[in-house]
Amino acid sequence: MIRFLVRRAAWFAFTVWAVITIAFFLMRAVPGGPFSSERRLPPSIEAAVEARYHLDWPLWKQYLQMLGPLNLDERGWFGDSTRVTGGVLAADLGPSLQHRDVTVNEVLAQSLPISLALGSVALFWALTLGLSGGLIAALWPGGKLDHAARALSTLGLALPNFVIASLLVLSCAIAFRLFPVAGWGSAAHLVLPGFALGVPFGAYVARLFRAGLLEALAHDCVRTARAKGVPRARIVWRHAMPSALMPVISFLGPAAAGILTGSLVIEKIFAIPGTGSHFVASALNRDYALAMGVTLVYTVLVYGLNVLVDVAYTLLDPRIDLERDA
Amino acid sequence: MSREQSSGGGWFREADYDLMLTELERSAPTSLWSEVRRRFREQRAARWSARLLMVLALLAFFAPLLPLPSPAAMRLAGAPHAPVAPWSEFVNQRYEPVYGPLGALDRALVATRQKLFGKTQLGSWLGTDTKGRDTLARILWGSRTSLLVALCAALTSLSLGVAWGALAGLSGGRVDNLMMRALDVLQSIPTIFVVIFLLSFLNAPSAALGGARLLSREQVFFLVIGAVSWLSMARVVRGQVLALRSAPYVEAARAQGASLVWIVRKHVWPNVLPVVGVYVTLTLPAVILYEAFLSFLGLGVEAPNVSWGVLAADGAEALSPLVSSWWLVAAPSTALAATLLALGLVGDGLRDALDLRRGER
Amino acid sequence: MSLLEVRNLRVRFETARGWVQAVDSVSFDLDAGESLALVGESGSGKSVTAMALVSLLPRPPAVIETGEARFDGRNLLALGERELRRVRGREIGFVFQDPSTSLHPLMTLGEQLTEALRVHEKVSQRVARARAIEALAEVGIAEPDARVDSYPHELSGGMRQRALIAMALMCRPKLLIADEPTTALDVTVQAQILELLRELQRRHGLAILLITHDLGLVADFARRVHVMYAGSIVESASASELFARPAHPYTLGLLRSVPTLATSLEHPLSTIPGSAPDPTKSVHGCPFRPRCGFALASCESSRPPLLPPLGLQRAAALLSAQGSRRSACFESARVAAEART
Ligand SMILES: Nc1ncnc2c1ncn2[C@@H]1O[C@H](COP(=O)(O)OP(=O)(O)OP(=O)(O)O)[C@@H](O)[C@H]1O
Ligand code: SF4
Ligand SMILES: [Mg+2]
């Protein structure tokens, strides 16, 4: 168990490091810098600004400073004695190049909770719709409800989240004025965006869950349970459900990744000041620090959730031998 | 596939891949093709979807030839115009040729169109956007982007993906291991973020190149689509080849001294083909969605070119509680949704026809 | 009165290829504490017969056309789902063929064992657990108090089958239906499991309906044997009679395909030629005719009824006091005569 977790953690750390490194060198390899393209600054000022953000340092030094663990601050090498470490390893992402006088940490601290809230609401919708739809469809396979649920899930899978979002805005918010269409502030602001973001995943969950339930209900061990006189409700709940949930659980990792990606679009449509909006903007503006921060956050989230789902999966299925499978 | 590496890429290809592997485990060797074709035709939804897709592809290809307004011609006064029903204005004479840079074939098509129809163009059946550009024309021209993207993805996954997977599966051992590791690495990068990086960095005008771009945005775009679309296909093909290699009847053939080429032609290829087919039908909607997604974020095709993602984004932008230009949202959304739905149904139908989903009915 | 009286049970499946008469007019009796074997090759309808009794068949496609199954005075086939549920597990226990798939892979043995108890009797978790451990011990599982918390994959095939038997007996049923309980196991374990069943039967006065395709198992297990072919019972006799003097060509074929000490060069093992009839086609005459070495022209025109074998009554009466043997063959006497040589 411990070995399993350690290995997962090592993989995780390696991936994060690889992504940071690739992102860093990709950003620097491309011509143009944060202050070179649009705003044509006088050379002297540009030099001063670049010096302020250490853009005049050699690349390896910038990389080390960004990564930590050495704190190569203004005075070069090891900096002052108060802070020995810095950079990513100390969770310090430095100042934003684009937003003056704001650190990347501050930008993230402000926007990340919003994105996470949005993601949670989306996940909630996905699971609620998906599990209930799949359950209803599987309880009466071939029936009217089953057909309806399957048609809906096919539709939900086919509709991109931004289409759903636009349609929602069009119908719900403008025509009926039920929920706010845009902006941020109250929980009600999250209902529509979360729904739009969650629906495609809900559709997929419904499919997975229906197929899983039907397969589980046809399994020999359900016949054993019936022969014991176990009521149908308990068979569905206790016997079929756990097996049917396994594929859903393993889908949660990719789903979380998809929801995070999807939030880029949804935040744009609903004008939600989340992290997603910073992602594209920072890349376009060559805000190296912010882009790195956002990439890092997303990688950690996507990977962290995946590892979490993997661990949960392995724990839930007693047949998986952790030592061997790790 | 080790599960830890499965988080990159489009979520839905990954998940579908898993689902498909379970289906494959249940599937018997493929039945006769004629049988498959018959069973496919028996499915009404899939059949109609296939027809719809065919019509859409034709419309997309011949869009320059149709008597449409040109997609970039603006009519600012009073824009956006609401849809005009075909029966109140079927055609008008306001056609002006305003096109972006066109390829040779498209130029010829446009020239033919001008000869055929002159100044005649269809009325704004689907309204115009905020700049007075005709929605129907833009949707049809936009569908060409989707078609191109689909072609690009299909070609890379059919060539690179199949070749990679088949090679890995057939060689086995260390070569296989190495090739799969490479896939793992490629797939473990959260693609969407790299894509955004690539797009935003690679195609920005650079001072070093004298204001020119490294690659045009479209080039980058297709590069990216191609690069991400073959990974899962390689995995699927490899898995199938590997399973077939150790199938008893293939081992028997090998024991009797059948050559590798013969085995591949007689046993492996016929059994891999349906899987490849099904997988293409899974890949296409995913990349079309991907394109729309990137375009929506402003990272896809650039004006004056259009794509459904761009149209949907414009529509979403035009939405406000005051002016509801519903057609700007509804029209591209419907086009996109109908196409994706049709592709999904064709895929489902194909899977049913191949009997890969017995457990799911 | 018998514990279980099955009369004229007919079950068919409605499939895409037309309907399949899986069970055709099956009748038998089983007394309390008695053991009865249902023997036949694969697809002969043994499992369907057993599962029809407690409505475990998937419906659709299964349809129970006619029949009656009196168990303790009630007709099981007329009971509603709620009453049936009270019979299943509490009065009739079931053991299935494949112990590796019949246990739930994600539930501990303990939970699966106590489930029946907690469904049928109001017992506390603690009592149920204690009884589960007791039951595991009774079926001969070592360290039952540790095993109660294991998952099925941690057990060997034989242990899983023992656990399944323990599970079926948790509520002390009067009847145990064991559907090929040993088919998936290797030979030594088979013998152990059968021995265990016999032991439990003695101890609890359990009636056992043993389903198997292996006549060899039946010999010293069941008092009465019913041989099934293509959905019908073709021969019914006490075990000793059946082995001494089979009166149906199919039984004779089965017996000759069982290896015994007597198998030698003069009496080589044989197999029954041909295969079971296509169940979607209804047949005229004797269903065994295409494979029968005794067939005469008359066998083609009408179906032989299940009757005391003609010309054998006297011999049968000598062999068994009950004299209740029956065979569905026009040529029973010839078959019996052949069997003796
Ligand atoms: N769910 C079903 N759908 C259709 N036909 C079925 C179904 N279950 C059983 N049958 C048919 O019923 C007949 C009897 O099957 P049954 O399972 O009773 O055989 P069996 O004697 O138990 O054989 P085995 O020794 O293989 O278990 C078979 O011919 C089979 O085709
Ligand atoms: S009735 Fe005729 S065909 Fe049928 S088993 Fe007897 S001898 Fe054979
Ligand atoms: Mg059976």
Side-chain angles (χ1 to χ4, degrees):
Chain A
M1 182 68 210
I2 304 277
R3 244 182 64 203
F4 166 79
L5 287 178
V6 167
R7 286 179 76 155
R8 282 293 143 103
W11 239 103
F12 178 57
F14 173 78
T15 312
V16 170
W17 171 79
V19 167
I20 290 177
T21 308
I22 292 173
F24 180 87
F25 288 104
L26 251 181
M27 279 192 276
R28 311 293 161 130
V30 178
F35 308 109
S36 61
S37 55
E38 284 149 43
R39 290 150 284 175
R40 286 254 151 250
L41 298 170
S44 60
I45 297 184
E46 191 178 324
V49 172
E50 290 203 333
R52 187 175 153 215
Y53 294 108
H54 310 306
L55 297 177
D56 52 346
W57 284 3
L59 213 54
W60 61 267
K61 214 167 153 188
Q62 288 187 41
Y63 175 72
L64 277 186
Q65 193 225 16
M66 181 271 309
L67 194 64
L70 306 176
N71 181 30
L72 306 168
D73 75 352
E74 279 74 13
R75 277 169 289 154
W77 288 109
F78 293 97
D80 55 29
S81 52
T82 51
R83 287 168 67 225
V84 186
T85 59
V88 171
L89 282 182
D92 177 7
L93 298 164
S96 160
L97 308 189
Q98 175 200 4
H99 306 277
R100 293 290 145 87
D101 305 322
V102 184
T103 65
V104 172
N105 286 33
E106 283 163 356
V107 173
L108 290 177
Q110 204 217 358
S111 63
L112 196 58
I114 298 176
S115 287
L116 288 183
L118 176 62
S120 314
V121 173
L123 203 60
F124 168 80
W125 274 116
L127 288 179
T128 322
L129 295 174
L131 293 181
S132 52
L135 179 66
I136 288 170
L139 282 183
W140 296 281
K144 279 209 184 76
L145 281 172
D146 182 24
H147 281 295
R150 290 178 74 185
L152 276 179
S153 94
T154 310
L155 196 68
L157 267 180
L159 290 175
N161 51 22
F162 52 85
V163 167
I164 298 174
S166 306
L167 295 179
L168 276 181
V169 172
L170 202 59
S171 57
C172 247
I174 293 177
F176 308 112
R177 292 177 196 283
L178 282 177
F179 295 101
V181 192
W184 172 248
S186 69
H189 279 103
L190 281 179
V191 174
L192 289 187
F195 183 80
L197 193 49
V199 159
F201 301 93
Y204 203 83
V205 168
R207 275 192 169 198
L208 278 178
F209 195 47
R210 174 185 183 274
L213 275 176
L214 286 184
E215 193 176 332
L217 284 172
H219 195 262
D220 278 355
C221 64
V222 163
R223 193 181 59 190
T224 312
R226 291 217 299 143
K228 281 192 286 189
V230 179
R232 181 168 156 85
R234 189 179 150 86
I235 286 183
V236 171
W237 180 254
R238 185 65 192 91
H239 291 251
M241 202 82 96
S243 327
L245 277 177
M246 299 308 277
V248 174
I249 289 173
S250 66
F251 173 62
L252 283 183
I259 284 177
L260 282 176
T261 345
S263 69
L264 301 186
V265 168
I266 295 296
E267 286 178 12
K268 187 175 164 188
I269 296 180
F270 289 92
I272 296 171
T275 314
S277 52
H278 291 299
F279 192 85
V280 181
S282 64
L284 287 175
N285 292 326
R286 307 295 167 87
D287 188 338
Y288 295 146
L290 187 53
M292 180 60 74
V294 180
T295 311
L296 192 63
V297 161
Y298 275 99
T299 313
V300 168
L301 275 178
V302 168
Y303 260 80
L305 287 173
N306 250 288
V307 171
L308 215 66
V309 163
D310 264 9
V311 173
Y313 192 93
T314 16
L315 289 184
L316 284 178
D317 191 339
R319 283 166 300 182
I320 295 178
D321 183 347
L322 294 182
E323 297 304 324
R324 219 192 38 221
D325 201 58
Chain B
M1 178 183 63
S2 58
R3 312 184 71 263
E4 58 210 296
Q5 280 103 29
S6 64
S7 62
W11 57 274
F12 109 60
R13 275 174 296 139
E14 290 298 334
D16 260 343
Y17 164 75
D18 280 350
L19 198 67
M20 212 166 81
L21 276 195
T22 29
E23 284 168 5
L24 281 175
E25 274 160 24
R26 289 200 292 258
S27 78
T30 325
S31 10
L32 292 168
W33 279 107
S34 55
E35 173 75 5
V36 170
R37 213 169 305 142
R38 188 186 59 73
R39 271 187 298 197
F40 182 79
R41 288 219 195 92
E42 264 171 20
Q43 303 182 46
R44 211 149 29 111
R47 208 178 51 216
W48 281 104
S49 301
R51 286 182 195 158
L52 174 73
L53 289 175
M54 229 117 56
V55 170
L56 270 178
L58 284 177
L59 279 180
F61 185 79
F62 290 112
L65 197 60
L66 303 175
L68 295 164
S70 53
M74 301 187 196
R75 194 154 57 97
L76 283 169
H81 300 275
V84 181
W87 51 89
S88 50
E89 187 195 50
F90 191 75
V91 290
N92 60 45
Q93 301 297 322
R94 288 197 294 267
Y95 172 70
E96 296 164 49
V98 186
Y99 295 97
L102 296 177
L105 179 67
D106 289 346
R107 268 202 305 277
L109 286 175
V110 168
T112 320
R113 177 234 187 269
Q114 285 165 351
K115 248 179 242 135
L116 280 177
F117 301 108
K119 283 252 171 258
T120 309
Q121 64 178 17
L122 299 180
S124 295
W125 295 356
L126 293 180
T128 71
D129 67 6
T130 45
K131 291 188 180 138
R133 293 173 297 198
D134 184 69
T135 313
L136 178 63
R138 286 169 72 74
I139 284 180
L140 284 181
W141 279 79
S143 70
R144 312 184 95 213
T145 308
S146 301
L147 193 70
L148 267 183
V149 163
L151 269 180
C152 168
L155 287 182
T156 31
S157 62
L158 281 180
S159 52
L160 195 52
V162 171
W164 190 279
L167 200 62
L170 284 176
S171 33
R174 286 179 68 164
V175 179
D176 175 34
N177 216 340
L178 214 69
M179 290 177 86
M180 283 303 112
R181 282 293 117 187
L183 271 194
D184 282 349
V185 169
L186 281 176
Q187 220 154 22
S188 75
I189 300 168
T191 17
I192 181 66
F193 303 120
V194 175
V195 164
I196 291 176
F197 264 126
L198 279 179
L199 286 171
S200 52
F201 283 105
L202 280 184
N203 78 86
S206 79
L209 296 173
R213 291 165 170 195
L214 215 56
L215 288 169
S216 88
R217 181 172 280 193
E218 253 101 288
Q219 283 167 324
V220 177
F221 187 69
F222 284 109
L223 210 74
V224 164
I225 296 275
V228 297
S229 56
W230 65 274
L231 302 174
S232 305
M233 175 68 93
R235 262 184 209 295
V236 171
V237 170
R238 181 238 179 201
Q240 185 74 351
V241 168
L242 220 56
L244 284 168
R245 245 168 53 117
S246 54
Y249 60 93
V250 175
E251 301 222 307
R254 215 181 2 219
Q256 285 164 21
S259 74
L260 186 68
V261 176
W262 198 82
I263 289 179
V264 168
R265 246 200 21 227
K266 273 279 176 243
H267 295 298
V268 178
W269 189 236
N271 282 300
V272 170
L273 207 59
V275 180
V276 169
V278 170
Y279 211 71
V280 167
T281 65
L282 291 180
T283 307
L284 294 188
V287 292
I288 290 180
L289 202 59
Y290 212 47
E291 180 278 322
F293 171 74
L294 291 177
S295 295
F296 191 92
L297 285 177
L299 296 168
V301 299
E302 276 176 306
N305 288 341
V306 280
S307 84
W308 287 347
V310 170
L311 293 177
D314 288 353
E317 217 151 87
L319 272 182
S320 76
L322 302 176
V323 255
S324 85
S325 321
W326 55 268
W327 60 93
L328 289 182
V329 174
S333 301
T334 311
L336 192 51
T339 308
L340 293 176
L341 193 63
L343 277 169
L345 289 174
V346 167
D348 284 358
L350 201 54
R351 282 202 265 179
D352 279 345
L354 289 168
D355 212 13
L356 291 182
R357 302 207 300 176
R358 262 169 308 171
E360 218 189 302
R361 255 168 299 161
Chain C
M1 196 187 68
S2 314
L3 177 68
L4 176 69
E5 275 175 35
V6 179
R7 288 291 170 270
N8 204 25
L9 180 66
R10 287 170 65 87
V11 183
R12 70 160 193 244
F13 286 94
E14 273 163 8
T15 69
R17 294 189 307 128
W19 49 270
V20 173
Q21 192 72 49
V23 176
D24 192 354
S25 312
V26 162
S27 307
F28 60 86
D29 292 336
L30 175 57
D31 288 334
E34 194 199 17
S35 53
L36 178 109
L38 219 48
V39 184
E41 67 194 333
S42 191
S44 55
K46 310 176 300 276
S47 301
V48 173
T49 304
M51 292 203 275
L53 297 181
V54 281
S55 298
L56 281 178
L57 292 172
R59 283 193 277 179
V63 180
I64 295 181
E65 293 168 290
T66 63
E68 202 176 296
R70 286 214 164 268
F71 179 77
D72 248 4
R74 286 156 301 169
N75 180 6
L76 292 178
L77 301 185
L79 292 185
E81 181 67 22
R82 281 178 71 89
E83 289 101 14
L84 261 176
R85 226 172 43 226
R86 242 169 278 147
V87 173
R88 289 188 203 134
R90 197 166 69 123
E91 294 179 64
I92 300 181
F94 234 109
V95 176
F96 292 100
Q97 177 167 350
D98 191 349
S100 58
T101 58
S102 296
L103 288 166
H104 198 292
L106 303 181
M107 284 162 82
T108 62
L109 281 190
E111 187 174 356
Q112 299 190 53
L113 281 161
T114 51
E115 193 169 32
L117 270 187
R118 293 175 62 79
V119 165
H120 295 297
E121 301 167 24
K122 294 276 158 279
V123 292
S124 73
Q125 188 87 54
R126 261 202 28 238
V127 173
R129 188 181 154 89
R131 275 182 61 183
I133 294 174
E134 211 175 286
L136 285 179
E138 186 173 25
V139 295
I141 287 183
E143 298 177 53
D145 31 359
R147 282 301 175 199
V148 80
D149 293 317
S150 347
Y151 288 95
H153 70 274
E154 295 163 343
L155 273 60
S156 70
M159 279 199 334
R160 278 181 221 155
Q161 194 59 283
R162 283 169 192 267
L164 267 174
I165 293 172
M167 198 184 297
L169 298 181
M170 278 305 279
C171 296
R172 299 260 168 276
K174 296 177 201 142
L175 169 64
L176 179 73
I177 301 180
D179 188 352
E180 312 212 19
T182 60
T183 305
L185 308 173
D186 64 52
V187 183
T188 43
V189 185
Q190 275 186 11
Q192 289 167 6
I193 295 288
L194 281 183
E195 185 48 47
L196 170 68
L197 283 177
R198 240 192 318 253
E199 164 77 28
L200 291 168
Q201 173 172 41
R202 252 195 318 263
R203 203 177 307 159
H204 302 297
L206 193 64
I208 294 185
L209 175 58
L210 176 73
I211 293 175
T212 177
H213 57 243
D214 187 353
L215 260 182
L217 290 183
V218 169
D220 48 10
F221 187 83
R223 292 252 307 282
R224 292 199 58 77
V225 181
H226 297 280
V227 180
M228 277 190 87
Y229 183 76
S232 321
I233 293 180
V234 293
E235 177 158 11
S236 155
S238 74
S240 50
E241 285 171 322
L242 193 85
F243 284 97
R245 201 171 315 195
H248 193 281
Y250 177 62
T251 318
L252 184 63
L254 280 182
L255 279 174
R256 287 198 173 148
S257 60
V258 176
T260 61
L261 286 178
T263 310
S264 64
L265 281 180
E266 300 104 276
H267 301 279
L269 267 184
S270 65
T271 53
I272 306 173
S275 56
D278 180 353
T280 54
K281 298 211 175 72
S282 58
V283 281
H284 292 285
C286 177
F288 191 60
R289 209 192 61 82
R291 300 168 73 182
C292 181
F294 295 84
L296 297 174
S298 61
C299 305
E300 203 165 342
S301 50
S302 59
R303 190 172 181 141
L306 187 64
L307 285 176
L310 294 168
L312 254 182
Q313 281 101 330
R314 242 167 47 95
L318 284 178
L319 261 168
S320 109
Q322 296 137 332
S324 59
R325 66 171 316 171
R326 283 172 173 69
S327 165
C329 174
F330 295 126
E331 300 292 327
S332 295
R334 241 174 87 208
V335 178
E338 158 103 353
R340 216 167 332 175
T341 58

